[in-house]
Amino acid sequence: MHGSNMLCKEGHIPKMSSLSAASVEPTPAIEGTDEKKPLKPCCACPETKKVRDACIIEKGEENCTDLIEAHKDCMRALGFKI
């Protein structure tokens, strides 16, 4: 999966009332690409995002705070303001 073009699919995340959207200042670039296209928040940190979303769907947001925080930490590490 690493290095391949992954398409973002909008609208597939369950509604998460207490999670804030990431603002992008400045927009980090995708590593390893020739064109250095800006990384969109929906495509950042796919590993933490996948497990966070699965937990929220299965157990509810209030039971997944550790995974939510791990995803936020990953986003912050990429330069997103959360």
Side-chain angles (χ1 to χ4, degrees):
M1 289 226 166
H2 294 284
S4 65
N5 283 336
M6 295 180 66
L7 299 176
C8 293
K9 295 180 182 176
E10 299 297 326
H12 71 286
I13 300 174
K15 186 175 181 180
M16 294 175 264
S17 58
S18 67
L19 296 181
S20 60
S23 64
V24 191
E25 300 172 4
T27 304
I30 299 172
E31 302 271 338
T33 61
D34 294 335
E35 297 177 18
K36 295 289 182 190
K37 294 180 183 177
L39 181 61
K40 296 178 183 179
C42 65
C43 297
C45 302
E47 295 85 7
T48 57
K49 182 179 180 177
K50 183 177 181 178
V51 293
R52 176 206 68 181
D53 290 351
C55 181
I56 291 170
I57 291 168
E58 293 173 17
K59 301 177 183 178
E61 182 179 337
E62 63 279 357
N63 297 311
C64 302
T65 54
D66 290 344
L67 295 173
I68 292 168
E69 288 305 314
H71 183 62
K72 287 181 181 179
D73 289 343
C74 181
M75 297 286 287
R76 287 183 192 111
L78 292 176
F80 291 99
K81 306 291 182 189
I82 298 181

